[in-house]
Amino acid sequence: MAIRSRRPGAKAALLPVLLTGTLALAACSSGGSSTTSQNGGTTTAAKTLVIDTSFDLKTADPGRTYEPTGLIIGKAAYETLLTFEGSDVTKPVPALAESFELSADGKVLTLKLRQDATFADGSPVTADDVVFSLNRVRDMKGTPSFLLDGVEVAASGADTITLTSKNANPALPYILPNPALGILNSKLAKEHGATADTGDKAEQYLNSASAGSGPYTIESFNVSSQVVLKANAKYWGATKPVYDKVVLRNVEAATQKLNISRGDSQVALNLSGDQVTGITGDLQIKKTPAANVIFLLANQDPSVSKITSNPKFAEAVRKGVDYAGLLELAGEGSVQTPGIIPSMFLGSLPQDQAAKRDVEGAKAALKESGVADPTVKLEYPSELTVNGLSFQPLAERIQANLKEVGITVELAPAPITTALDNYRNGKEELGLWYWGPDYPDPSDYLAFLPGKLVGLRAGWKAGADKELEAAGAKAATTIGDEARKQAYVDVQTRLNAAGTFIPLIQPSQNIVTAKSVTGLEFHPVWTIDVADLK
């Protein structure tokens, strides 16, 4: 996810977990482990799917969760008003809502609630449940509360919900599918301390039980070892979950490779490009560019660096980077990103606008900057990996690239907490970081403009580029896909010209499955939908 208030990329202790008892781990022809149970003299086979991943997990409370592993769990246990079909993030589709409509001015989103949806205890999903759940997320002031900043939620009748924003908010249909906005059984949640304010005390209960309407419920939950999901016997949807149990285990990448290779798991989510290259056996490998964008920032505050705030210096860096070499490091499935918006989102720049290396042009720009033999410090998190890719080799390659131009780069890796302090406080001269989507809409990337969250981290204050800021304000309120697409292309073209941020690559997301597992699609927000797996 985007680097906001949580600890980005910080993983819980990586503890390989050995399952015992009824969860036999030998893979079977159905794509998962199987157990048998006696019911009135009839023997039935229970199907269990084992997924290995490196946990980034704090809670199962949908109103508080914002970590990748938590979003996988939330997607399974809590349904949202809208969702996306498979990996397509260009068009929100109904889920608990049977239809939705955005007003012509983009300020009011009206949703009709379907009448047949039920929670795991069999009670109906009501408009009151929706209003309570969304207000709870907004007003608890947890990590995902910003998703509904300034949005008023109300019920208009028994089956109609209105979400009203002060300004045009065309991104809202793309925000609502986030699992953090999963709908709670409000009566049950309130019985266990849920309130729509900062006094909410329902997290402990929601870490041990489910109050949602999703295809799975939570059987057991441990933030450092494993989470077991159980099929919701009262699931209302037409497509019932295939697996009786889904076990997510906290396993470091090398062990994930070993487990999937010998059939002790059926899905591995965190293998690097190098690791999947060595995969053998009867396995499937899905490689696709992730939605994470790795970028360089050049600080625009002269009090931090008179060198990086020089526009011609930034131009020299942009022209001096060997993008093809970075892709080689990232591995097959990775792509160069022409702009800060990922390739699969509305408004992304076409590939022909990607920067190309031009060493002579970089030297000329450096000469025009008037800065002779510059030395700059490049900061980045030392232990953070993104899609299995470490920042260290990327930093070393950039250092070597810029040396050819005449720029000396001093590498300054630091533990994530230390590196984050300088990054968030706008004190880095050069920084190497990444941004992952909060939701699959280009408006999430307006954070890179002057005066905004990431812009300020680059020392870029409001008023620094009024034309770009005006273009961003226009894009934020533009209605209609074609008009929005062009507005965000204009923003990114101007952003690239400014040189404050230099987009580099989208690393590959590599998911390995047993051959018998089907239906898997990578999603940039919740990684995978376990209910789709067959």
Side-chain angles (χ1 to χ4, degrees):
M1 300 275 82
I3 297 176
R4 292 183 181 268
S5 59
R6 72 183 185 87
R7 291 191 303 130
K11 305 296 182 185
L14 299 178
L15 302 174
V17 179
L18 182 62
L19 299 181
T20 59
T22 60
L23 298 179
L25 294 186
C28 67
S29 60
S30 63
S33 306
S34 64
T35 62
T36 59
S37 61
Q38 297 288 336
N39 184 11
T42 302
T43 300
T44 59
K47 293 178 65 177
T48 297
L49 181 73
V50 180
I51 300 173
D52 282 350
T53 184
S54 297
F55 276 16
D56 193 347
L57 177 65
K58 290 184 178 179
T59 180
D61 182 342
R64 290 182 168 89
T65 193
Y66 211 66
E67 289 69 41
T69 312
L71 294 176
I72 295 174
I73 296 163
K75 178 62 178 172
Y78 293 90
E79 292 194 312
T80 48
L81 290 169
L82 304 179
T83 188
F84 293 105
E85 199 70 48
S87 60
D88 182 4
V89 295
T90 64
K91 183 182 179 182
V93 297
L96 289 177
E98 65 180 15
S99 65
F100 64 100
E101 182 178 4
L102 187 66
S103 63
D105 63 5
K107 295 181 180 180
V108 181
L109 181 65
T110 303
L111 305 105
K112 288 285 187 180
L113 195 63
R114 58 186 306 144
Q115 298 298 296
D116 56 344
T118 59
F119 291 110
D121 66 357
S123 60
V125 179
T126 69
D128 288 342
D129 295 311
V130 173
V131 173
F132 175 81
S133 299
L134 298 186
N135 283 338
R136 178 176 181 263
V137 175
R138 185 194 63 208
D139 297 338
M140 272 198 312
K141 303 303 180 185
T143 304
S145 66
F146 77 95
L147 294 170
L148 294 176
D149 277 350
V151 177
E152 294 299 322
V153 185
S156 176
D159 64 350
T160 303
I161 310 295
T162 58
L163 280 70
T164 305
S165 305
K166 183 177 181 180
N167 300 312
N169 192 358
L172 197 51
Y174 295 84
I175 294 172
L176 287 179
N178 192 300
L181 302 180
I183 305 305
L184 289 164
N185 182 330
S186 60
K187 180 181 178 181
L188 184 60
K190 288 175 182 177
E191 289 174 357
H192 292 86
T195 58
D197 55 41
T198 55
D200 182 274
K201 293 180 171 58
E203 183 177 13
Q204 183 175 354
Y205 169 73
L206 295 173
N207 280 344
S208 61
S210 294
S213 60
Y216 285 91
T217 61
I218 297 171
E219 181 173 285
S220 64
F221 180 84
N222 187 298
V223 295
S224 62
S225 57
Q226 73 177 38
V227 176
V228 179
L229 303 174
K230 182 180 179 181
N232 177 4
K234 297 182 179 180
Y235 182 55
W236 60 274
T239 304
K240 309 300 181 185
V242 169
Y243 293 95
D244 299 284
K245 289 189 178 183
V246 176
V247 182
L248 289 93
R249 307 189 300 181
N250 187 14
V251 180
E252 60 95 20
T255 307
Q256 287 185 37
K257 179 177 178 179
L258 177 63
N259 288 345
I260 193 76
S261 297
R262 67 188 181 191
D264 286 350
S265 64
Q266 287 76 52
V267 182
L269 294 180
N270 302 105
L271 301 189
S272 68
D274 288 343
Q275 287 171 319
V276 297
T277 300
I279 288 285
T280 58
D282 201 16
L283 298 169
Q284 303 172 106
I285 303 172
K286 190 175 188 68
K287 297 181 180 180
T288 182
N292 295 316
V293 171
I294 297 176
F295 62 90
L296 281 171
L297 70 83
N299 203 298
Q300 298 301 294
D301 185 347
S303 69
V304 173
S305 176
K306 292 181 179 179
I307 298 174
T308 61
S309 58
N310 185 314
K312 283 296 178 179
F313 174 84
E315 181 183 337
V317 173
R318 182 178 177 84
K319 290 181 176 179
V321 171
D322 179 8
Y323 301 94
L326 297 182
L327 282 178
E328 182 183 341
L329 286 175
E332 186 179 344
S334 304
V335 296
Q336 182 182 350
T337 178
I340 209 67
I341 297 175
S343 57
M344 67 282 290
F345 289 1
L346 178 79
S348 60
L349 289 177
Q351 197 61 39
D352 61 9
Q353 289 193 34
K356 296 177 175 59
R357 193 177 197 209
D358 176 5
V359 176
E360 292 308 311
K363 289 179 179 178
L366 184 61
K367 184 176 181 180
E368 287 182 59
S369 75
V371 181
D373 301 319
T375 297
V376 292
K377 183 165 67 173
L378 175 61
E379 298 185 47
Y380 53 94
S382 56
E383 79 274 38
L384 179 64
T385 61
V386 178
N387 302 104
L389 181 62
S390 170
F391 279 37
Q392 184 65 32
L394 294 176
E396 291 173 352
R397 184 66 62 92
I398 291 167
Q399 180 188 47
N401 294 164
L402 297 185
K403 185 177 181 180
E404 295 178 45
V405 174
I407 300 170
T408 298
V409 175
E410 295 179 348
L411 301 185
I416 184 70
T417 52
T418 304
L420 270 177
D421 282 343
N422 278 349
Y423 172 56
R424 287 175 172 162
N425 293 324
K427 300 300 183 184
E428 293 184 335
E429 193 171 26
L430 279 180
L432 179 63
W433 288 94
Y434 84 101
W435 182 268
D438 298 301
Y439 47 89
D441 186 81
S443 61
D444 194 34
Y445 296 81
L446 295 175
F448 285 80
L449 270 55
K452 304 299 184 182
L453 180 69
V454 189
L456 290 173
R457 292 172 179 178
W460 217 12
K461 298 176 182 178
D465 190 329
K466 292 182 179 179
E467 287 189 5
L468 175 57
E469 292 167 61
K474 177 184 176 183
T477 56
T478 297
I479 307 297
D481 284 355
E482 284 305 312
R484 295 186 80 219
K485 177 181 178 180
Q486 187 58 53
Y488 282 101
V489 165
D490 291 345
V491 166
Q492 288 185 97
T493 301
R494 291 174 181 270
L495 188 60
N496 283 347
T500 306
F501 298 100
I502 301 167
L504 301 174
I505 58 172
Q506 291 170 233
S508 177
Q509 175 76 42
N510 306 295
I511 300 177
V512 181
T513 68
K515 189 175 183 180
S516 51
V517 175
T518 61
L520 185 145
E521 294 287 347
F522 167 71
H523 196 279
V525 177
W526 50 76
T527 310
I528 60 169
D529 184 349
V530 297
D532 284 345
L533 302 184
K534 299 174 176 62

